[in-house]
């Protein structure tokens, strides 16, 4: 997996510490149960191992020298002295060293990188011809006084320590100095070199303090000035979704600066810092408070330089802190030889470093290094004695040639000695080349300006190199075309080859709160970091399809959230369709009732000469049956997908058809009254009978309703509307009435006609007419009125297709009431009692009624 995040290429290294087979203790199989016991009593173990180590191992000089015409000074620590409490001490007698002398053999690679670069330059005929480079190495101790004494001893070319009160040091045979690894060592030495403008190249991590030209005018930093390592670490946190991490940093200006960088970048990437621990200047193994709340996170970032982290690393091993993923910018350096042979707390750690092109020449060079090839080296005999079982002579502590076969540094485990160039070694290599090229340019310049005679040497002063070193320093960094450049622009990570700590069977998790899955969102807890939250489900019709979403996303109106609330589904269009069961039933009922009405018309036409059909105005009966047919059929306009035409047709046909039907019923009721009054006709009754006034009721009432509908359609007509909220997962398409006032006016007018017809019919129900249908008219109108009064609350309380079905049901129910109660009894007599549908039966019934009335 490759993520383009960094300005420079960062490789992640993992550490797997193996037991070395040549260790005297390797033949013993120690159970994991006993390992903590031994680590808690290191002094006992050290004494046990020391029986196999010669006292010559503890006798060490503080400097050694590699000859050359021009010498480079090298000042950095390889071995240190400690008191019983592991506190650094400048020097102790050798007979105390068996417990307190510590070698950092991983840092010994710095000397080899220096030696490799010098031999490479000396073998190059095109660079510094006829001039050989050499170096003087001085082991740097912890006190500023001791460090400056080493520097002055080198400058004065003396081999004995003495104090120079005025630092008036003599300059000869040297050209520049390499200092490191910490900024403190470079700053201490730089204070002295500043007086003489002596070139100083620092190969430790870049430090902005050392770039102050007013304070360190001749100091040049080789390491790249870049925050890519810290950015790479944050990118790693993002990649593995480690949002809750701890920070351990040095308690100095660099630690404060990197803390600020981490906070800014982590805040930008949504990563929280569980705790921050600043390493004190004086480390103590009894600082229990320092490790408080260490278990809050599974991932802990350790950032600093080798010197500032040495005490911390030792304390972590002593406490056997396991079950943590340590993410560091440097590899752990071992100084206790007992640590070389044990699996320790740093197993499975991830280490960030600048990655340079592999130098196979350096690896090949390391394979050739041995104490017999470089007898001046003070550390190679120690390595060969400790790891390859070489013996020292009794006199003079000379290394004997009785070592294991094929002894070579490249066979040592990586945690003891790494054959790949480290960042510091690469900086040393580049620094040596910077000095060589500067000296080469200075030599060429002097040859051109001041030719010398045969055998006369070219004279130069070290401060003259500053002008050349400044030319290859741009923006506070060394720009060296010949050095290995940092490769790539991205973070490269291969998860398959990472070996996690034993406690984790899969990729470790380090979070303050468990991730909120799909369908949930984060709710930050008050007073807590943003990474500490609780998960709450998304609200209605909202989704989250990513982990740890801050806000849920609302679905569009045309979509709805699925049950898991992680996906928006397209809503189905819903309306009362003919394919629906409800639509099919209502359509079938409509057609059946319409057909029934047509059958009634047919019965009436066939029996048009019978008394029952002729009674109560035969023409009005035909008009009423035809309008009822339209009333039934208008309900079909409510079924099917609505469109603009059907929305308009629904209300107009409904209003006009029912108005015509109710007006006809009103006319029939008035006709009954007129028919009764015809026995005793007055002037008004006579005019009504002659003018046929009841027949005008129908067009007049209908025209009034047409006026209402016309005004409605012209001002605020019905339109197609959608309801995406009422029914989950569906968009209801329906005909909006447009003007609610107009709709209720149309409905109110119908109820008014029904009420008028009911009143007339009710008042004429007792009139003595043989075919008086007033009772049936009043009852049918009463049912009609009740249906539509009940319709209003039911209609407004339903939604969707059920609202449409309610209106259709009301149309069918009210129409059926008019058809059934008015024409039902007549059809019963016509079809089932035809004997009663004759003039003789009617005549006999009338005579019978008269006789009965005379008797009473």
């Amino acid at each position: 997996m490759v993520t383009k995040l960094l300005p420079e290429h960062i490789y992640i290294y993992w550490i797997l510490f193996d037991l070395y087979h040549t260790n005297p203790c390797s033949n013993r199989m120690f159970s994991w149960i006993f390992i903590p016991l031994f680590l808690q009593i290191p002094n006992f173990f050290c004494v046990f191992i020391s029986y196999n180590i010669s006292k010559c191992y503890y006798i060490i000089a503080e400097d050694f020298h590699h000859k050359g015409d021009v010498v480079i000074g090298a000042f950095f620590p390889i071995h240190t002295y400690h008191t019983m409490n592991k506190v650094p001490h400048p020097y102790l007698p050798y007979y105390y060293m068996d417990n307190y002398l510590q070698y950092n053999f991983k840092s010994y690679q710095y000397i080899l990188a220096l030696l490799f670069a010098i031999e490479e330059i000396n073998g190059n005929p095109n660079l510094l011809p006829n001039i050989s480079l050499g170096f003087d190495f001085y082991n740097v101790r912890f006190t500023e006084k001791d460090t400056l004494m080493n520097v002055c001893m080198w400058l004065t070319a003396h081999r004995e320590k003495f104090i120079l009160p005025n630092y008036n040091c003599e300059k000869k045979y040297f050209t520049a100095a390499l200092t490191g690894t910490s900024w403190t060592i470079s700053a201490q030495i730089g204070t002295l070199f500043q007086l003489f403008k002596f070139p100083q190249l620092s190969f430790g991590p870049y430090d902005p303090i050392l770039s102050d030209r007013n304070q360190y005018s001749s100091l040049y930093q080789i390491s790249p000035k870049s925050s890519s390592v810290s950015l790479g670490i944050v990118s790693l946190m993002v990649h593995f979704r480690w949002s809750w991490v701890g920070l351990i940093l040095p308690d100095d200006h660099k630690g404060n600066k990197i803390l600020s960088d981490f906070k800014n970048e982590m805040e930008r990437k949504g990563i929280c810092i569980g705790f921050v621990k600043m390493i004190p200047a004086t480390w103590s193994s009894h600082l229990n408070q320092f490790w408080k709340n260490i278990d809050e996170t599974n991932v802990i970032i350790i950032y600093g330089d080798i010197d500032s982290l040495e005490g911390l690393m030792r304390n972590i091993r002593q406490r056997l802190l396991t079950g943590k993923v340590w993410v560091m910018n440097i590899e752990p350096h071992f100084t206790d030889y007992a640590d070389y042979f044990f699996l320790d707390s740093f197993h499975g750690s991830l280490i960030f470093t600048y990655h340079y092109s592999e130098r196979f020449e350096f690896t090949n060079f390391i394979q050739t290094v041995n104490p017999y090839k470089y007898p001046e080296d003070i550390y190679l005999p120690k390595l060969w004695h400790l790891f390859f079982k070489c013996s020292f002579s009794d006199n003079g502590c000379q290394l004997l040639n009785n070592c294991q076969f094929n002894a070579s540094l490249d066979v040592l485990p990586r945690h003891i000695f790494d054959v790949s160039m480290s960042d510091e070694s690469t900086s040393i290599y580049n620094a040596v080349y910077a000095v060589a090229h500067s000296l080469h340019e200075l030599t060429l310049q002097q040859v051109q300006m001041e030719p010398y005679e045969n055998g006369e040497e070219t004279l130069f002063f070290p401060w003259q190199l500053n002008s050349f070193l400044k030319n290859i320093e741009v923006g506070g960094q060394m720009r060296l075309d010949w050095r290995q450049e940092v490769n790539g622009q991205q973070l490269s990570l291969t998860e398959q080859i990472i070996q996690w700590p034993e406690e984790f069977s899969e990729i470790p998790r380090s979070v303050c709160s468990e991730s909120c899955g799909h369908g949930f969102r984060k709710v930050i807890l008050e007073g807590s970091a943003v990474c500490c939250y609780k998960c709450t489900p998304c609200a209605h019709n909202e989704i989250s399809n990513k982990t740890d979403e801050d806000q849920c996303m609302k679905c569009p109106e045309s979509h709805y959230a699925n049950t898991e609330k992680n996906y928006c589904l397209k809503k189905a269009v819903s309306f009362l369709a003919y394919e629906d069961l409800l639509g099919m039933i209502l359509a079938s009922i409509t057609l059946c009732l319409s057909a029934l009405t047509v059958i009634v018309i047919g019965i009436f036409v066939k029996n048009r000469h019978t008394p029952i059909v002729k009674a109560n105005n035969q023409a009005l009966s035909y008009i009423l049956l035809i309008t009822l047919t339209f009333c039934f059929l208008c309900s079909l306009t409510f079924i099917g997908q609505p469109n603009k035409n059907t929305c308009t047709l629904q209300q107009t046909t409904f209003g006009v058809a029912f108005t015509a039907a109710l007006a006809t019923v009103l006319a029939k009721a008035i006709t009954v009254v007129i028919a009764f009054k015809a026995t005793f006709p007055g002037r008004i009754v006579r005019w009504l009978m002659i003018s046929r006034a009841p027949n005008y009721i129908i067009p007049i009432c209908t025209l009034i309703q047409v006026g209402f509908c016309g005004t409605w359609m012209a001002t605020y007509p019905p339109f197609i509307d959608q309801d995406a909220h009422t029914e989950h997962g569906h968009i209801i398409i329906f005909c909006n009435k447009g003007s609610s006032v107009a709709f209720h006016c149309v409905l109110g007018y119908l109820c008014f006609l029904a009420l008028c017809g009911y009143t007339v019919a009710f008042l004429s129900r007792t009139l003595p007419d043989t075919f008086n249908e007033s009772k049936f008219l009043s009852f049918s109108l009463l049912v009609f009125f009740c249906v539509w009064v009940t319709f209003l609350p039911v209609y407004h309380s339903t939604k969707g297709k059920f609202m449409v079905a309610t209106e259709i049901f009301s149309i069918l129910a009210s129409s059926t009431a008019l058809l059934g109660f008015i024409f039902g009894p007549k059809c019963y007599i016509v079809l089932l009692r035809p004997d009663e549908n004759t003039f003789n039966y009617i005549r006999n019934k009338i005579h019978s009624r008269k006789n009965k009335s005379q008797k009473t």
Side-chain angles (χ1 to χ4, degrees), residues 772-838:
N772 186 2
E773 60 180 357
S774 297
K775 294 180 181 180
F776 305 117
L777 293 176
S778 61
F779 192 71
S780 65
L781 291 174
L782 179 62
V783 174
F784 180 93
F785 185 80
C786 291
V787 167
W788 286 105
V789 169
T790 308
F791 160 78
L792 288 175
V794 176
Y795 179 80
H796 290 293
S797 64
T798 56
K799 297 290 183 181
K801 60 178 68 177
F802 298 103
M803 181 179 67
V804 179
T806 300
E807 191 167 359
I808 295 175
F809 176 79
S810 299
I811 292 173
L812 296 178
S814 57
S815 301
T816 303
L818 293 177
L819 176 65
F821 291 117
I822 295 176
F823 297 98
K826 293 182 179 182
C827 291
Y828 172 78
I829 294 175
V830 172
L831 297 177
L832 301 179
R833 305 293 297 271
D835 55 317
E836 296 181 4
N837 191 17
T838 61

Side-chain angles (χ1 to χ4, degrees), residues 13-18 32 39 106 248 279 283 290-291 294 300-303 306 309-335 339-340 342-351 415 498-504:
Y13 294 95
W14 63 97
I15 305 175
L16 178 61
F17 300 104
D18 295 320
W32 278 101
L39 290 179
K106 206 171 186 69
I248 300 180
I279 305 172
W283 182 264
F290 184 86
W291 298 110
I294 195 71
I300 300 176
I301 300 172
I302 299 177
Y303 199 101
I306 297 171
L309 299 181
E310 180 182 349
L312 174 73
M313 303 287 190
R314 184 186 306 112
N315 198 260
I316 290 176
R317 288 193 294 269
Q318 290 173 349
R319 290 176 176 269
L320 199 68
L321 296 177
T322 59
K324 301 295 180 185
V325 177
W326 306 98
V327 182
M328 301 178 286
N329 67 316
I330 63 168
E331 294 189 38
H333 284 230
F334 295 88
T335 55
D339 294 332
Y340 293 147
F342 281 95
L343 288 167
D344 71 358
S345 302
F346 295 103
H347 170 61
S349 299
L350 299 176
I351 300 173
H415 70 279
I498 296 179
Q499 297 186 19
W500 301 109
E502 295 294 336
E503 289 78 5
F504 301 104

Side-chain angles (χ1 to χ4, degrees), residues 77-334:
I78 300 295
H79 65 271
T80 55
Y81 306 110
H82 291 270
T83 63
M84 184 176 296
N85 295 325
K86 300 295 183 181
V87 177
H89 195 276
Y91 48 84
L92 290 171
Y94 79 89
Y95 44 83
Y96 290 118
M97 297 306 168
D98 54 346
N99 290 327
Y100 309 120
L101 175 62
Q102 295 178 340
Y103 292 100
N104 191 344
F105 288 127
K106 206 171 186 69
S107 297
Y108 175 67
Q109 190 194 81
Y110 306 159
I111 294 179
L112 295 184
L114 174 62
L115 182 61
F116 171 67
I118 286 178
E119 288 193 355
E120 200 175 58
I121 293 171
N122 289 340
N124 186 354
N126 298 319
L127 184 60
L128 291 179
N130 302 321
I131 297 178
S132 64
L133 288 180
F135 68 85
D136 288 340
F137 167 76
Y138 290 86
N139 185 66
V140 175
R141 297 174 184 174
F142 290 90
T143 62
E144 181 177 4
K145 174 183 176 181
D146 194 65
T147 300
L148 294 179
M149 288 174 66
N150 280 338
V151 173
C152 284
M153 183 175 65
W154 175 63
L155 292 175
T156 57
H158 289 293
R159 296 295 180 260
E160 295 180 359
K161 293 183 175 64
F162 57 91
I163 299 176
L164 299 177
N166 57 1
Y167 299 109
N168 186 15
C169 303
E170 180 185 357
K171 302 179 290 295
K172 62 177 181 178
Y173 304 117
F174 21 75
T175 179
L178 288 175
T179 61
T181 56
S182 70
W183 72 275
T184 306
I185 294 175
S186 297
Q188 292 173 354
I189 298 175
T191 303
L192 177 59
F193 283 161
Q194 164 71 14
L195 301 175
F196 309 101
K197 306 300 180 183
F198 195 91
Q200 177 186 357
L201 293 91
S202 173
F203 63 88
Y206 184 86
D207 192 301
I209 288 183
L210 301 180
S211 296
D212 186 359
R213 281 287 168 260
N214 295 325
Q215 190 173 0
Y216 307 105
S217 60
S218 60
L219 192 152
Y220 308 93
Q221 299 191 75
I222 305 299
S223 298
K225 177 185 178 181
S226 174
S227 60
S228 57
V229 171
S230 59
L231 293 178
I233 292 176
V234 175
S235 299
L236 182 73
M237 305 296 113
V238 174
H239 176 79
F240 287 118
R241 306 182 70 85
W242 292 334
S243 59
W244 189 244
V245 300
L247 273 179
I248 300 180
L249 306 170
D251 191 10
D252 55 19
H253 70 282
K254 292 189 68 175
N256 295 327
K257 174 62 170 61
I258 197 64
L259 176 61
S260 176
D261 293 342
F262 271 125
K263 282 184 175 180
N264 294 335
E265 186 66 14
M266 287 182 174
E267 182 179 355
R268 195 170 65 88
K269 294 296 181 65
I271 300 173
C272 300
I273 300 175
F275 60 82
V276 177
K277 297 185 180 296
M278 307 303 289
I279 305 172
T282 303
W283 182 264
S284 173
S285 59
H286 303 289
L287 289 178
N288 294 326
Q289 188 68 19
F290 184 86
W291 298 110
K292 186 179 179 180
N293 66 12
I294 195 71
D295 292 327
E296 288 188 4
T297 66
N298 287 331
V299 177
I300 300 176
I301 300 172
I302 299 177
Y303 199 101
D305 55 41
I306 297 171
D307 296 334
S308 63
L309 299 181
E310 180 182 349
L312 174 73
M313 303 287 190
R314 184 186 306 112
N315 198 260
I316 290 176
R317 288 193 294 269
Q318 290 173 349
R319 290 176 176 269
L320 199 68
L321 296 177
T322 59
K324 301 295 180 185
V325 177
W326 306 98
V327 182
M328 301 178 286
N329 67 316
I330 63 168
E331 294 189 38
H333 284 230
F334 295 88

Side-chain angles (χ1 to χ4, degrees), residues 416-430:
I416 297 176
F417 186 86
D418 192 359
V419 296
S420 299
M421 262 196 181
S422 64
D423 291 347
E424 293 79 10
S425 296
T426 302
S427 297
I428 290 174
Y429 179 87
N430 291 330

Side-chain angles (χ1 to χ4, degrees), residues 590-664:
T590 298
L591 294 176
C592 291
L593 292 175
S594 300
L596 180 61
T597 307
V598 173
I599 292 173
V600 173
I601 294 175
I603 294 173
F604 270 48
V605 171
K606 183 179 180 180
N607 299 278
R608 62 185 178 278
H609 299 296
T610 60
I612 198 72
V613 175
K614 288 184 177 181
N616 302 112
N617 199 328
Q618 184 178 6
L620 291 178
S621 296
Y622 290 138
I623 294 174
L624 180 58
L625 287 171
I626 294 172
T627 55
L628 286 177
T629 303
F630 281 106
C631 288
F632 284 123
L633 293 175
C634 79
S635 63
L636 295 177
T637 61
F638 292 85
I639 305 176
Q641 184 170 356
N643 55 61
K644 184 177 181 181
N645 295 328
T646 56
C647 288
T648 303
L649 195 61
Q650 285 176 5
Q651 307 306 323
T652 54
T653 54
F654 162 72
V656 173
F658 270 91
T659 299
L662 292 175
T664 303

Side-chain angles (χ1 to χ4, degrees), residues 536-551:
T536 184
C538 292
H540 175 69
N541 209 37
E542 292 184 350
I543 66 164
S544 66
N545 52 13
K546 295 180 180 179
T547 305
D548 292 338
E549 287 281 22
D550 294 321
Q551 295 293 334

Side-chain angles (χ1 to χ4, degrees), residues 271-550:
I271 300 173
C272 300
I273 300 175
F275 60 82
V276 177
K277 297 185 180 296
M278 307 303 289
I279 305 172
T282 303
W283 182 264
S284 173
S285 59
H286 303 289
L287 289 178
N288 294 326
Q289 188 68 19
F290 184 86
W291 298 110
K292 186 179 179 180
N293 66 12
I294 195 71
D295 292 327
E296 288 188 4
T297 66
N298 287 331
V299 177
I300 300 176
I301 300 172
I302 299 177
Y303 199 101
D305 55 41
I306 297 171
D307 296 334
S308 63
L309 299 181
E310 180 182 349
L312 174 73
M313 303 287 190
R314 184 186 306 112
N315 198 260
I316 290 176
R317 288 193 294 269
Q318 290 173 349
R319 290 176 176 269
L320 199 68
L321 296 177
T322 59
K324 301 295 180 185
V325 177
W326 306 98
V327 182
M328 301 178 286
N329 67 316
I330 63 168
E331 294 189 38
H333 284 230
F334 295 88
T335 55
D336 289 334
Y337 48 70
D339 294 332
Y340 293 147
F341 311 105
F342 281 95
L343 288 167
D344 71 358
S345 302
F346 295 103
H347 170 61
S349 299
L350 299 176
I351 300 173
F352 273 74
T353 180
Y354 297 102
H355 179 70
Y356 300 91
S357 300
E358 189 72 23
R359 291 201 66 91
F360 298 103
E361 299 88 349
F362 182 67
T363 303
N364 296 333
F365 167 75
I366 288 179
Q367 293 174 351
T368 66
V369 172
N370 60 71
Y372 312 107
K373 181 179 179 181
Y374 301 102
E376 72 276 8
D377 195 306
I378 60 177
Y379 296 107
L380 284 175
K382 317 301 182 183
L383 282 164
W384 254 246
H385 173 69
L386 182 62
F387 297 109
F388 303 123
K389 298 183 179 180
C390 299
S391 301
F392 287 102
S393 62
D394 295 333
N395 297 323
C397 288
Q398 297 297 317
L399 190 69
L400 301 178
N401 193 5
N402 58 351
C403 308
Q404 289 181 342
F405 181 71
N406 289 335
S408 176
L409 292 175
D410 63 328
V411 302
L412 294 178
R414 181 177 175 182
H415 70 279
I416 297 176
F417 186 86
D418 192 359
V419 296
S420 299
M421 262 196 181
S422 64
D423 291 347
E424 293 79 10
S425 296
T426 302
S427 297
I428 290 174
Y429 179 87
N430 291 330
V432 174
Y433 264 92
V435 173
H437 279 270
S438 300
L439 184 58
H440 185 79
E441 293 295 327
L442 176 62
T443 303
L444 292 178
Q445 186 182 81
Q446 289 188 347
V447 168
Q448 293 174 0
M449 296 177 60
E450 300 177 6
Y452 55 90
E453 299 178 358
N454 293 335
E456 184 178 350
E457 295 183 353
T458 302
L459 298 178
F460 71 94
F461 296 96
W463 57 262
Q464 292 178 283
L465 295 179
N466 286 324
S467 60
F468 298 94
L469 290 173
K470 288 179 181 179
N471 291 334
I472 58 176
E473 183 185 46
V474 179
Q477 296 186 80
M478 302 302 291
R479 179 179 57 82
L480 308 174
D481 296 334
W482 58 86
R483 75 174 182 178
Q484 302 174 72
E485 298 293 341
V486 179
N487 293 329
Q489 298 289 330
Q490 56 198 5
L491 173 69
S492 177
L493 178 64
T494 305
E495 295 184 22
Q496 293 76 9
I497 61 176
I498 296 179
Q499 297 186 19
W500 301 109
E502 295 294 336
E503 289 78 5
F504 301 104
S505 58
E506 56 184 10
I507 296 177
R509 290 178 56 79
S510 186
V511 295
C512 180
S513 301
E514 289 299 323
S515 297
C516 295
H518 296 179
F520 292 84
R521 66 179 179 90
K522 298 191 299 185
V523 177
I524 306 300
L525 300 177
E526 186 176 357
S528 301
V530 294
C531 300
C532 301
Y533 49 82
K534 66 177 182 179
C535 301
T536 184
C538 292
H540 175 69
N541 209 37
E542 292 184 350
I543 66 164
S544 66
N545 52 13
K546 295 180 180 179
T547 305
D548 292 338
E549 287 281 22
D550 294 321

